[in-house]
Amino acid sequence: MALTEVYWDNQIPLPKLAPVQAKVTVSLVALLCFINSYDGEFVFDDSEAIVNNKDLRPATPLNNIWRNDFWGSNLSSNSSHKSYRPLTVLTFRLNYLLAGGLYPVGFHVLNIILHAVISALMIDVFAILIGGLAYGEKGRILKHTPKTSLLAALFFAAHPVHTESVAGIVGRADLLCALFFQLSFLTYCKAFTRGSDRNDRFSVQWVVVSLLLCAAAMLCKEQGITVLGVNAVFDVLLICNVNVYELGQRLLLRKNPLDVSELFRSGLLTRLALMGLGGLLMLYARWRIMGTGPPAFTEVDNPASFAENIFLRIVNYNYYYTLNAWLLLCPWWLCFDWSMGCVPLIKSATDWRMVWLLLFWCILIGLISQALCSQDRQRRRVGFVIAERVLYLSSAGYCLLLACSLGHCCYCWTKYRKLLCASVLALLCVYVARCALRSHQWQSEQSLFTSALSVCPLNAKVHYNVGKNLADRGNTTAAIRYYREAVRLHPTYVHAMNNLGNILKERNELIEAEQLLSKAVSIQPDFAAAWMNLGIVQNSLQKFEEAEQSYWNAIRFRKKYPDCYYNLGRLYADQNRHVDALNAWRNATVLKPDHSLAWNNMVILLDNTGNLGQAELIGREALKLLPKDHTIMFSLANVLGKLQKYKESEGFFLHALRINPNAASCHGNLAVLYHRWGKLELAKKHYELSLKLDPEAPGTRDNYNMLRRKLDQLKRSTP
């Protein structure tokens, strides 16, 4: 491919660095921007994708990664998000294995390193797009625009819009996708290393490697397949130097008919056929793995899809593109979530926001026309990359345009060169500062969620997450306020109703809790958690029949629901339906073998009903599965004491106290055991420890006084 000099490159206010120096510089800037996120917590979507994802655990078969979605749900499930990203999940699993558990530092460090590597590779990508494709004798890319590509890569490394992808661990999918996207593009360029003439033969092997890297990008995130389109357009516009405008005229006007043999000689059609076939095979494989069912999205996820008519849907989709472009231009208003009222829908053509949509398309059409129709090959190089819609990668197009625009300004306005130099430096400093601030906000859910309140005050999900974080930290009074605001902003927000109902239940405000939970299940009848919580409230209100029905509704919509079986057992126990209670708790332990409460309740119920032998068997079975559960040890020790197996009972009490030494009830019951056993001094010691920990412990004071009287009698009777 023939080269043309880029006239503005020497005017860029940057030093001309060697390739290695340039990449090190860009990597260091990337590290500087996001290094303060390394000690952040698991936040927002990290909980579902990492903390609660069993596919990360060593005990889970590795094959599950290839059968489940990004969140750990089976792809065949109706609740699956259908996001198939097994290579990304595999890196999470490696992080887990290397750290020996869920320690977020390793996850964050890898994200930061990936961004630094991607930013460094952007120099090569930008150099090709601006200066053309050429290789030296040793097969290295010849950079004819070292300053422009360096400036664009610096902008990319420091752009604040990348914070979510880097500081949020689930952003690993975007990072890995971008990395393999770059490698696929650069490998495709490798296919033309034999010479600079576009009629030279190309390497089929490198094209195949590029396809394999595209498949890897797709296995990291779905958008990875779009690199095939980028490669194809790059080949047409820059390798083969096809003028699309002229080609269109020749086809439409039928003048100077197209010489197809020329395209065959250049190998373009062969390369396009290879990429088309490869893309179809990838899509077919994905279809076979995922099945035909699309992911189920709600109005909460994408309100534009539920607009009244297709015109309004198209308008709102395009308005979202406009907002994404604005975030690239002015990355100050950043938010972890933009759904649920954060961006009110455009509902008529008279909405003033239509102006921004029209302006966006005018600019975009102008860029596309430069990419396709310009006689200037330099302009064609710059224009086509803006078509990428993935925000992490699309920012590369913006950074490239920004760097080229600044270079052109420096060339045209030489007398303002110092001012432009200061502006570039100031912009980079602002970007770095904004990245540092935003990375700090991503360190914890508290700072992340509260930072969104000023950006999207109308977003019900923001208020919901702030309320949830407050509730998790024990501030239920403040949490109620935010949950109520979330429901006010979005009256059908069932998850906010469910959480608010739970808090009101704990505060014994049962009537309002029942109303909220009843409304939630009427809006979403298959909301199993809300049905279970409604059953708990109805049980507390002694509406036993309604509670039982609510529990069974929950189980109907979620077959494997051990917590619901546990609560159903409690309902049956309150009604003295002991057999039904035991069966329900047994079901809970079958579904979740480490369900401590269900095991413990079975032991206690059997103890209370006099079935001491069966209680002992259940207790021992439970401790095989939960050998460090002090509550089950306590209950089993009580049973063994009643069976007069004092030594064994003592062992379990003492073991439980080693795990939880401040359990007043355990000291009290051990004292009772010693009292019965005749070890009165030990009984006295543990009664006193129990009363010290809990002076109001029921029965302990009376037992202690009884023991003291007995000890006094023994002293008086001793000669």
Side-chain angles (χ1 to χ4, degrees):
M1 134 183 190
L3 298 171
T4 54
E5 294 298 326
V6 177
Y7 56 84
W8 66 73
D9 190 69
N10 287 331
Q11 303 300 322
I12 295 286
L14 286 176
K16 188 173 181 179
L17 301 177
V20 174
Q21 291 176 323
K23 289 180 179 178
V24 170
T25 301
V26 170
S27 298
L28 289 175
V29 170
L31 293 173
L32 177 64
C33 289
F34 300 105
I35 193 65
N36 66 337
S37 67
Y38 85 95
D39 59 346
E41 303 170 1
F42 292 115
V43 298
F44 195 40
D45 286 338
D46 296 344
S47 298
E48 291 301 316
I50 298 170
V51 178
N52 298 328
N53 191 344
K54 293 183 179 179
D55 289 344
L56 272 64
R57 309 297 193 273
T60 304
L62 192 60
N63 289 340
N64 282 21
I65 291 176
W66 306 96
R67 292 197 296 263
N68 295 341
D69 66 15
F70 185 58
W71 312 95
S73 299
N74 194 288
L75 283 165
S76 61
S77 169
N78 292 331
S79 61
S80 172
H81 194 269
K82 306 295 183 185
S83 47
Y84 187 62
R85 305 166 190 173
L87 291 186
T88 304
V89 179
L90 183 61
T91 66
F92 291 155
R93 184 161 174 148
L94 288 174
N95 270 127
Y96 186 100
L97 288 172
L98 291 173
L102 288 172
Y103 301 102
V105 172
F107 290 84
H108 283 293
V109 168
L110 183 53
N111 272 27
I112 296 168
I113 292 172
L114 283 171
H115 177 63
V117 172
I118 292 163
S119 300
L121 284 175
M122 278 295 174
I123 295 178
D124 292 337
V125 175
F126 290 148
I128 293 171
L129 296 176
I130 305 169
L133 177 62
Y135 289 90
E137 294 180 358
K138 295 183 179 180
R140 294 179 180 177
I141 297 173
L142 295 177
K143 296 181 175 64
H144 294 273
T145 57
K147 293 186 178 182
T148 309
S149 55
L150 173 59
L151 181 60
L154 287 172
F155 284 142
F156 181 86
H159 203 294
V161 83
H162 298 155
T163 310
E164 182 170 352
S165 296
V166 182
I169 298 173
V170 293
R172 176 84 56 84
D174 296 288
L175 297 171
L176 289 171
C177 177
L179 178 62
F180 286 112
F181 188 106
Q182 289 176 312
L183 294 175
S184 178
F185 174 74
L186 293 172
T187 305
Y188 190 79
C189 294
K190 274 279 189 181
F192 307 98
T193 57
R194 295 193 178 186
S196 59
D197 188 348
R198 66 191 176 121
N199 291 325
D200 277 356
R201 294 179 61 189
F202 65 95
S203 169
V204 175
Q205 289 88 343
W206 282 116
V207 174
V208 172
V209 173
S210 176
L211 287 171
L212 293 175
L213 289 167
C214 170
M218 189 178 175
L219 291 173
C220 295
K221 194 170 184 180
E222 296 76 8
Q223 289 88 335
I225 197 173
T226 58
V227 71
L228 295 179
V230 171
N231 290 344
V233 175
F234 173 79
D235 200 339
V236 171
L237 295 183
L238 304 184
I239 299 296
C240 295
N241 196 24
V242 174
N243 189 310
V244 177
Y245 180 72
E246 286 184 5
L247 180 62
Q249 284 189 322
R250 289 166 66 181
L251 291 174
L252 291 174
L253 301 178
R254 297 183 179 179
K255 294 180 180 179
N256 300 321
L258 180 66
D259 186 2
V260 179
S261 63
E262 182 180 352
L263 296 179
F264 273 114
R265 283 197 303 274
S266 67
L268 174 62
L269 295 181
T270 304
R271 295 191 295 273
L272 294 179
L274 282 172
M275 287 190 288
L277 178 61
L280 288 173
L281 288 173
M282 292 177 211
L283 291 173
Y284 175 74
R286 182 175 173 81
W287 175 76
R288 290 283 297 179
I289 293 168
M290 287 178 52
T292 56
F297 292 109
T298 65
E299 187 175 358
V300 170
D301 302 310
N302 190 354
S305 298
F306 294 82
E308 294 177 5
N309 54 61
I310 191 169
F311 170 75
L312 290 179
R313 289 175 200 163
I314 293 172
V315 166
N316 280 284
Y317 287 146
N318 283 275
Y319 183 61
Y320 293 161
Y321 302 151
T322 306
L323 288 177
N324 282 329
W326 176 248
L327 286 177
L328 293 175
L329 286 167
C330 184
W332 192 257
W333 291 279
L334 299 175
C335 184
F336 71 91
D337 185 89
W338 291 87
S339 64
M340 298 190 73
C342 196
V343 183
L345 288 178
I346 295 175
K347 296 184 178 180
S348 72
T350 59
D351 194 305
W352 67 272
R353 291 173 293 173
M354 292 288 289
V355 174
W356 298 113
L357 193 152
L358 294 172
L359 178 62
F360 168 75
W361 273 106
C362 287
I363 295 172
L364 189 60
I365 290 170
L367 290 171
I368 293 172
S369 66
Q370 289 291 332
L372 299 181
C373 306
S374 175
Q375 298 297 322
D376 187 343
R377 293 184 65 203
Q378 292 174 10
R379 296 189 180 189
R380 288 212 299 273
R381 289 173 192 160
V382 173
F384 84 94
V385 294
I386 199 68
E388 276 300 310
R389 294 299 183 191
V390 180
L391 201 55
Y392 185 81
L393 281 171
S394 66
S395 64
Y398 164 75
C399 296
L400 180 59
L401 289 171
L402 181 59
C404 292
S405 300
L406 286 169
H408 182 75
C409 291
C410 290
Y411 178 82
C412 296
W413 302 337
T414 53
K415 62 180 180 180
Y416 299 113
R417 192 169 182 274
K418 289 184 178 180
L419 177 62
L420 289 169
C421 180
S423 299
V424 169
L425 182 61
L427 181 59
L428 283 172
C429 289
V430 169
Y431 275 4
V432 171
R434 180 62 179 133
C435 285
L437 174 63
R438 187 61 181 158
S439 294
H440 178 73
Q441 291 173 340
W442 271 87
Q443 282 191 319
S444 69
E445 289 194 333
Q446 181 183 1
S447 57
L448 176 64
F449 296 154
T450 53
S451 70
L453 289 172
S454 59
V455 179
C456 286
L458 299 179
N459 188 337
K461 190 180 284 188
V462 169
H463 292 273
Y464 167 83
N465 280 290
V466 173
K468 186 175 183 298
N469 181 256
L470 287 166
D472 291 342
R473 291 186 289 118
N475 191 350
T476 56
T477 302
I480 287 174
R481 184 169 71 253
Y482 284 101
Y483 280 140
R484 290 193 189 281
E485 180 64 9
V487 174
R488 186 190 70 81
L489 291 169
H490 196 87
T492 60
Y493 198 174
V494 292
H495 293 283
M497 294 177 192
N498 179 56
N499 287 15
L500 178 56
N502 271 340
I503 292 179
L504 294 174
K505 174 192 69 180
E506 297 300 326
R507 294 163 69 100
N508 209 34
E509 298 178 29
L510 300 176
I511 301 300
E512 186 181 0
E514 183 183 25
Q515 292 171 350
L516 279 166
L517 293 166
S518 296
K519 185 177 180 181
V521 296
S522 67
I523 295 169
Q524 185 179 328
D526 62 348
F527 192 0
W531 277 116
M532 183 188 75
N533 291 325
L534 178 59
I536 294 171
V537 171
Q538 289 168 334
N539 190 12
S540 299
L541 290 169
Q542 297 187 349
K543 297 180 178 181
F544 298 126
E545 290 184 7
E546 292 94 326
E548 183 177 5
Q549 186 58 50
S550 295
Y551 287 140
W552 283 116
N553 282 337
I555 293 167
R556 178 160 60 94
F557 293 117
R558 188 188 297 178
K559 305 297 183 185
K560 298 179 179 180
Y561 204 172
D563 287 342
C564 194
Y565 277 111
Y566 165 73
N567 284 297
L568 180 62
R570 289 185 59 189
L571 169 68
Y572 290 145
D574 289 343
Q575 296 178 287
N576 293 321
R577 296 166 60 179
H578 298 152
V579 174
D580 291 334
L582 290 170
N583 287 334
W585 288 329
R586 175 57 77 176
N587 285 333
T589 59
V590 169
L591 294 172
K592 186 181 179 183
D594 61 346
H595 202 301
S596 172
L597 292 173
W599 283 114
N600 200 39
N601 277 20
M602 280 195 283
V603 176
I604 292 171
L605 178 59
L606 290 167
D607 181 4
N608 292 340
T609 54
N611 296 301
L612 299 179
Q614 193 175 356
E616 180 185 357
L617 292 175
I618 295 292
R620 292 186 187 278
E621 181 184 354
L623 285 177
K624 288 179 182 178
L625 297 167
L626 299 163
K628 296 182 180 180
D629 193 308
H630 62 88
T631 60
I632 297 174
M633 291 178 193
F634 172 77
S635 299
L636 179 57
N638 287 331
V639 171
L640 292 171
K642 292 178 182 179
L643 289 170
Q644 297 184 359
K645 297 180 180 181
Y646 296 139
K647 190 64 179 176
E648 231 182 330
S649 176
E650 178 193 30
F652 282 116
F653 275 131
L654 292 175
H655 194 173
L657 284 170
R658 282 195 293 271
I659 298 171
N660 185 23
N662 295 323
S665 58
C666 198
H667 282 289
N669 284 26
L670 178 57
V672 171
L673 174 72
Y674 284 138
H675 199 160
R676 292 177 182 169
W677 200 358
K679 297 187 176 185
L680 303 185
E681 289 299 328
L682 286 173
K684 179 175 179 291
K685 171 187 171 183
H686 285 280
Y687 277 137
E688 289 172 350
L689 286 171
S690 177
L691 291 169
K692 182 179 178 181
L693 292 167
D694 182 9
E696 305 300 325
T700 304
R701 177 73 61 183
D702 293 338
N703 289 337
Y704 179 58
N705 291 333
M706 188 186 306
L707 175 65
R708 289 186 62 182
R709 288 195 296 271
K710 186 172 184 179
L711 287 171
D712 290 340
Q713 289 174 0
L714 289 172
K715 285 180 181 180
R716 285 196 297 269
S717 64
T718 302

